[in-house]
Amino acid sequence: MTGSPPGPDGGAAAEVVALASELIAIDTTNLGDRDLRGTEQPAAEYVAAKLAEAGYEPTYVESGARGRGNVVARLAGADPSRGALLVHGHLDVVPAQASDWSVHPFSGEVSGGYVWGRGAVDMKGMVAMTLAVARRLRRDGVVPPRDLVFAFLADEEAGGRLGARWLVDHRPELFEGVTEAIGEVGGFSVTLPRRHADTSQPAGEVRAYLVEVAEKGSMLLRLTARGTAGHGAMVHRDNPIATLAAAVARLAAHRFPVVLTDPVRELLAGVAELTGVPFDERDPQGAVDRLGDVSRLVGASLRDTANVTQFDAGYRANVVPSVATATVDCRPLPGREEAFARELAEVIGPGVDAAWRSLPAVRTRFDGVLVDAMARAIDAEDPGARLLPYLLPASTDAKSFARLGIRHFGFAPLRLPPELDFTLLFHGVDERVPVDALTFGARVLDRLLRDC
């Protein structure tokens, strides 16, 4: 059944909501502590059972620690000489405080046109779409144009060191022949106002779907200041808390330079073409500000960032300690890593030691057969919409798969209502995904994987 048309709505789209709800109800909170037992095993076993039910022979692997469950399955394609396509998603989620939510974060409640709960957006919604489509393809007897590898992964929210990174280092044969991949934080729609070129008057709206083609680097910086411990009533000239606080204050006040990378330039030029509002490369921030809610996400891709996230010092009210430490979440742009590190050292100044743990930036071009297939799949479900590239200011498992030379795109297709502030839902309270967006995404993904 090579090249067969997508299944009807009674297929993957019909079960994706139930799958998303059931996955959300499995608490896979990742606290980031490598010594704790992993929470992903029950979700991985659920996924493996659903795949086996459809006729797959899934591989279950625990990656580096007990309970860190991962599932990988392969669907053979018509042309084994073509590189395989990896479709991946992570099973773990960040913590959620139930008292802050309107519904229980692990209820998977379906109400008001949404599926609610931690992971609905990041990223059990996409996991459900992938699982639903994989099951549909196998049951329909579809032979896709190329091999498809489906991977459901652990530990992404803590950097993937006990998930995708471990699998890449210890089980690379699971991804044999893979040359391209699609994963999270891309493929979602942005509704833009269209203007008449001659009058600048409103001329309706147009949707663009943002495809992630690059990610900032991720550098965890540990700052340490040292001094002489002593009584709080004495005069101290080398108080490490004061030294570190001054460095942190300088860092908070510093603004790294605006750098217009190729993905951001292509995005803003595409938006200008769609909306009729010219893009002035001398003022990229002004163009970003016109993007509405998504400007928060795109704005962070204009420059490097370094945000202090933890500060630890002292043990008694009347004792000056000998050590003070702070953690800084650093996100340099692709190609800016060395310049960023030099600039950061100048801002921090003397008297503070810095230790790094880093993941490199990744990037690819916005072109090729797979991008063309994405565009066809979107156009079939949302005629007249357009794909545009963008740079993600955060990190995904793409960084791990890049170690295998795999070209990566963020494409988890969702057609979103224009009033929904989608970027605010990532790791946020009352995380939810529209039911219609999930069923739309399942249809688009089904079309893409039959045509990739």
Side-chain angles (χ1 to χ4, degrees):
M1 296 184 66
T2 304
S4 58
D9 286 352
E15 72 168 351
V16 66
V17 173
L19 292 172
S21 175
E22 290 169 8
L23 282 163
I24 290 167
I26 304 172
D27 185 348
T28 54
T29 299
N30 188 344
L31 297 175
D33 187 338
R34 302 184 69 172
D35 295 327
L36 293 177
R37 178 184 174 88
T39 59
E40 296 91 345
Q41 179 179 350
E45 291 175 341
Y46 170 92
V47 168
K50 290 291 185 182
L51 290 171
E53 182 181 80
Y56 287 92
E57 296 181 0
T59 299
Y60 175 87
V61 182
E62 291 199 350
S63 48
R66 291 181 61 207
R68 295 291 184 190
N70 304 264
V71 177
V72 181
R74 186 180 288 256
L75 182 61
D79 185 356
S81 68
R82 288 190 60 193
L85 174 65
L86 171 65
V87 186
H88 65 91
H90 62 85
L91 299 169
D92 61 322
V93 299
V94 296
Q97 184 67 42
S99 60
D100 295 335
W101 286 56
S102 301
V103 303
H104 194 282
F106 297 105
S107 65
E109 180 176 318
V110 183
S111 64
Y114 288 84
V115 182
W116 298 71
R118 176 60 84 221
V121 168
D122 188 12
M123 66 168 299
K124 289 181 177 177
M126 176 57 173
V127 168
M129 289 192 288
T130 303
L131 183 55
V133 172
R135 282 162 55 87
R136 180 69 186 188
L137 295 177
R138 188 70 176 83
R139 285 175 163 167
D140 283 356
V142 171
V143 179
R146 62 203 289 196
D147 279 12
L148 301 177
V149 177
F150 302 101
F152 306 86
L153 305 164
D155 198 43
E156 189 276 344
E157 295 293 0
R161 294 179 187 275
L162 296 179
R165 174 72 174 268
W166 189 95
L167 292 173
V168 164
D169 289 345
H170 295 88
R171 296 295 304 274
E173 76 279 2
L174 294 172
F175 311 104
E176 183 178 356
V178 172
T179 57
E180 294 179 305
I182 59 173
E184 64 177 326
V185 204
F188 57 90
S189 70
V190 177
T191 302
L192 302 167
R194 194 195 299 270
R195 302 282 180 181
H196 287 296
D198 53 346
T199 65
S200 295
Q201 294 301 308
E205 295 177 332
V206 60
R207 271 189 294 273
Y209 289 81
L210 305 191
V211 178
E212 185 238 288
V213 297
E215 295 180 4
K216 279 185 170 183
S218 177
M219 305 172 75
L220 193 64
L221 174 62
R222 184 78 164 174
L223 299 177
T224 303
R226 304 183 188 278
T228 304
H231 199 291
M234 302 295 107
V235 175
H236 290 266
R237 302 186 186 281
D238 62 347
N239 185 325
I241 296 177
T243 300
L244 187 60
V248 165
R250 289 192 296 272
L251 187 56
H254 183 71
R255 289 294 176 270
F256 292 90
V258 170
V259 177
L260 195 57
T261 58
D262 288 342
V264 177
R265 180 181 287 105
E266 287 183 61
L267 168 63
L268 297 179
V271 168
E273 183 180 335
L274 289 172
T275 62
V277 178
F279 164 45
D280 183 352
E281 289 199 12
R282 297 168 299 179
D283 183 24
Q285 186 65 60
V288 168
D289 290 342
R290 292 192 291 270
L291 295 178
D293 293 334
V294 80
S295 62
R296 182 188 305 109
L297 182 70
V298 179
S301 66
L302 287 177
R303 52 166 50 90
D304 307 325
T305 59
N307 290 305
V308 180
T309 54
Q310 293 177 304
F311 199 104
D312 185 16
Y315 49 90
R316 281 186 63 88
N318 62 349
V319 177
V320 172
S322 62
V323 177
T325 63
T327 302
V328 186
D329 185 344
C330 302
R331 308 288 174 140
L333 290 164
R336 273 275 303 171
E337 289 87 351
E338 292 185 5
F340 170 78
R342 289 195 300 269
E343 189 170 342
L344 193 69
E346 292 176 3
V347 174
I348 292 170
V352 178
D353 297 328
W356 299 92
R357 192 179 76 196
S358 63
L359 293 171
V362 295
R363 54 183 163 181
T364 189
R365 301 178 310 280
F366 186 58
D367 60 14
V369 172
L370 183 58
V371 171
D372 293 341
M374 291 178 194
R376 288 192 298 271
I378 287 290
D379 187 66
E381 295 293 336
D382 191 359
R386 179 170 166 183
L387 299 188
L388 294 175
Y390 89 106
L391 187 156
L392 177 69
S395 293
T396 74
D397 281 331
K399 287 181 167 58
S400 294
F401 291 119
R403 293 163 62 86
L404 295 176
I406 296 173
R407 187 184 185 204
H408 185 273
F409 299 91
F411 188 73
L414 296 172
R415 184 171 60 198
L416 300 168
E419 68 274 9
L420 180 67
D421 190 345
F422 183 64
T423 61
L424 195 63
L425 298 177
F426 284 86
H427 297 188
V429 173
D430 284 344
E431 184 179 350
R432 61 199 183 276
V433 63
V435 168
D436 289 347
L438 281 178
T439 56
F440 171 86
R443 295 194 303 270
V444 170
L445 190 61
D446 189 294
R447 289 181 180 276
L448 172 63
L449 298 187
R450 293 170 189 252
D451 182 38
C452 61

